[in-house]
Amino acid sequence: MVQYGFFFDQSRCIGCRACAVACKDWNDLPEGPVKWLRIYEYEKGAFPNVRVHYHFIPCFHCENPICIDASSARGIYKEEKYGAVLIDPDKATKLRDAAAACLYGSIVFESDASDAKASKCTMCIDRLEEGLLPVCVAACPTRALDFGPLETLQRKYGTNRDLEDLPPSTLTKPSAIFKPHSPKKQLVSYDVNKALKLLAERGDLPSIYSTAEDVLNIPEGLLKRNKLVLKPNSVKDLQELTRDDNA
Ligand code: SF4
Ligand code: SF4
Ligand code: SF4
């Protein structure tokens, strides 16, 4: 079997979600939480060292797919031609167990009901059979994505399978190569204290900040998306963590 996989260049991703919209469109997925591909966006740090992070999370069709090994799950299997991990809807049972095992939240449900139907990224195997790229890869306007045999991707992009805030790759061996975003650079020199003074100048408008500390130390809970949460507790949480849109 030749294992196929994704390349994600985090330094090129602008969080536009064209990939996620294309996935919904091509696969005829309903509005709401049935998101076979999730783009997570979250912010870390405090002024002046704030950083927005983006993660591209389909199913990574892992070389060690622990979802398949989940105790009582049935009807999820690894196919032989591309190494895609697929659900057979006629045989699928107990996929909540498979979803609990997956580190990436890649098995998704229509609702929180215990009998809700499970589904997941298919690697666009229908398109692969036509000689086409997965539609998410084809749709990316910044060329942050690539797809192909894992060995080819490794020759082109190296062997890194880890990204900041993702679970370590050692357990599941995701079929993906990652390029992390570049180190943050200060492009324009500025004086932090002067910037804080300017922020306080709002004419007749009331001041937003009373002291510099208000800006430099963000209170816990003020930012809604301040960390990567790959396994939301409910479909409502998933919607909020993925901007509650239909992508
Ligand atoms: S990403 Fe999750 S669902 Fe996909 S193969 Fe890996 S463990 Fe299974
Ligand atoms: S490979 Fe296809 S099914 Fe999987 S996330 Fe990309 S577009 Fe969706
Ligand atoms: S289409 Fe490309 S740039 Fe846009 S969110 Fe997806 S991976 Fe990132």
Side-chain angles (χ1 to χ4, degrees):
M1 180 192 77
V2 177
Q3 178 66 58
Y4 281 65
F6 297 98
F7 169 68
F8 172 55
D9 182 344
Q10 194 180 35
S11 69
R12 281 178 172 263
C13 181
I14 55 171
C16 68
R17 291 170 172 74
C19 51
V21 172
C23 177
K24 280 250 184 190
D25 185 40
W26 178 264
N27 292 298
D28 219 7
L29 301 179
E31 290 185 3
V34 184
K35 299 182 180 191
W36 290 1
L37 167 55
R38 295 151 312 285
I39 297 293
Y40 285 100
E41 175 183 338
Y42 57 101
E43 187 179 310
K44 281 166 65 175
F47 177 83
N49 294 309
V50 184
R51 191 87 201 249
V52 174
H53 297 246
Y54 299 114
H55 280 279
F56 162 84
I57 312 286
C59 167
F60 289 119
H61 304 280
C62 304
E63 292 192 274
N64 180 23
I66 54 177
C67 54
I68 295 176
D69 301 334
S71 54
S72 52
R74 298 284 177 275
I76 183 164
Y77 65 101
K78 197 163 182 66
E79 65 80 42
E80 290 293 321
K81 190 167 175 186
Y82 304 100
V85 171
L86 302 173
I87 290 175
D88 179 342
D90 294 331
K91 297 184 183 158
T93 53
K94 304 271 181 127
L95 289 189
R96 290 267 176 204
D97 288 350
C102 171
L103 304 180
Y104 303 96
S106 294
I107 298 172
V108 291
F109 295 85
E110 300 164 319
S111 74
D112 296 327
S114 57
D115 60 350
K117 186 181 163 205
S119 62
K120 65 181 286 304
C121 158
T122 61
M123 203 191 259
C124 278
I125 202 161
D126 53 335
R127 290 175 59 90
L128 302 186
E129 288 290 278
E130 301 290 322
L132 299 170
L133 283 169
V135 74
C136 52
V137 177
C140 177
T142 64
R143 297 190 184 168
L145 300 174
D146 199 355
F147 177 85
L150 204 51
E151 280 186 15
T152 307
L153 296 179
Q154 285 171 337
R155 276 198 299 277
K156 279 168 87 174
Y157 304 113
T159 56
N160 177 45
R161 294 190 189 196
D162 290 289
L163 272 186
E164 182 180 339
D165 297 327
L166 283 188
S169 60
T170 42
L171 184 57
T172 63
K173 296 193 178 160
S175 299
I177 303 297
F178 298 129
K179 179 180 172 191
H181 54 196
S182 320
K184 187 175 162 65
K185 290 183 205 152
Q186 188 169 311
L187 298 174
V188 180
S189 64
Y190 59 87
D191 179 311
V192 172
N193 291 322
K194 191 171 170 192
L196 289 170
K197 196 168 159 223
L198 286 170
L199 276 173
E201 284 177 12
R202 290 169 46 85
D204 295 334
L205 295 171
S207 177
I208 299 177
Y209 310 109
S210 312
T211 67
E213 284 302 301
D214 294 345
V215 185
L216 299 171
N217 296 313
I218 307 292
E220 185 67 30
L222 185 68
L223 284 179
K224 207 168 177 187
R225 289 186 292 264
N226 61 356
K227 62 186 173 200
L228 178 61
V229 179
L230 290 170
K231 301 191 62 165
N233 290 324
S234 64
V235 296
K236 179 174 174 286
D237 284 355
L238 172 65
Q239 292 292 81
E240 286 179 2
L241 290 160
T242 51
R243 292 212 311 209
D244 196 17
D245 54 19
N246 284 313

